[in-house]
Amino acid sequence: MASKVQVPAKTESQGFLYSALIAGWLVPGAGHLLTGRWVRGLLLFVSIAAMFWLGIAMQGKLYLPNTGDVLDMLGFAGDVGNGLFYALGRILDLGHGAVQVATADYGTKFIVVAGLLNFISAVDAHNLRIGRKI
Amino acid sequence: MFAPSHFTAVLLFATFASVVFGITQRSTPKAMVRYGLYCWVMFVGVVIAASWVMFLIRR
């Protein structure tokens, strides 16, 4: 009887194993580009970048690491998932404007969720890189 | 400054999150599209249902 178990293909295990994970974290979709899935990488980049920058445009807040508030620290953990976007936002001094609209809180959530989605995306790229996912 | 309506914010959130979920949680392109659409419908559908529940409670 033929087995239906699919064994993952281990085709891309040469070089630094965590390159896709790190690249995917720093730039959304870059990990998928490294593994040759450029359509997926482009879609991930557009989705996560749009979510982050729309959050900034909605006057969302960029959390800081050392405020002493547990909820702020959790927010920072999500924000830092945006990789270089977060660094760019901090360098450009974005994400701490006075709240003028009711949707500004949604902007904050957009930024945090964009970071969390990018963590998922980077881990997916890593799974593709090591052959755990086809 | 970008100040969307609450429903527009929901649609944007559902669209971007569904794209990422579809790509990362499934392996084949067809399954990705199907799962992404499923997530989008669930995001928006649950919001609409919850909105009606809140409306009826307040009434």
Side-chain angles (χ1 to χ4, degrees):
Chain A
M1 182 183 290
S3 171
K4 291 183 179 178
V5 176
Q6 291 186 342
V7 179
K10 298 244 179 198
T11 56
E12 301 175 47
S13 58
Q14 295 176 347
F16 183 49
L17 277 182
Y18 299 99
S19 58
L21 181 71
I22 294 170
W25 168 58
L26 290 174
V27 179
H32 287 77
L33 284 178
L34 279 182
T35 60
R37 277 82 171 181
W38 61 273
V39 176
R40 296 186 203 180
L42 195 64
L43 284 169
L44 289 169
F45 178 82
V46 169
S47 298
I48 294 169
M51 207 162 186
F52 177 84
W53 291 109
L54 283 176
I56 292 288
M58 290 158 73
Q59 296 188 330
K61 174 184 174 185
L62 281 177
Y63 286 101
L64 301 174
N66 55 356
T67 58
D69 185 341
V70 175
L71 289 179
D72 278 2
M73 285 189 238
L74 288 172
F76 171 75
D79 278 5
V80 85
N82 289 294
L84 290 181
F85 286 160
Y86 178 78
L88 192 61
R90 291 292 304 279
I91 289 168
L92 297 176
D93 206 20
L94 302 171
H96 60 76
V99 175
Q100 295 175 344
V101 290
T103 49
D105 193 43
Y106 291 171
T108 303
K109 271 56 182 181
F110 266 50
I111 294 168
V112 172
V113 172
L116 296 175
L117 290 174
N118 195 37
F119 277 133
I120 296 174
S121 167
V123 170
D124 186 60
H126 178 65
N127 286 335
L128 288 168
R129 175 79 176 83
I130 63 174
R132 190 180 293 160
K133 182 181 177 185
I134 303 168
Chain B
M1 188 180 75
F2 177 58
S5 69
H6 294 255
F7 189 64
T8 304
V10 167
L11 294 180
L12 288 170
F13 184 98
T15 302
F16 298 139
S18 298
V19 168
V20 177
F21 282 164
I23 290 173
T24 57
Q25 304 302 309
R26 293 294 182 270
S27 296
T28 63
K30 189 178 176 183
M32 288 176 186
V33 172
R34 288 184 62 176
Y35 188 66
L37 286 172
Y38 170 77
C39 288
W40 192 88
V41 169
M42 290 303 283
F43 271 129
V44 177
V46 167
V47 165
I48 291 173
S51 303
W52 274 106
V53 168
M54 287 187 282
F55 171 77
L56 293 173
I57 289 173
R58 186 175 179 271
R59 235 175 126 211

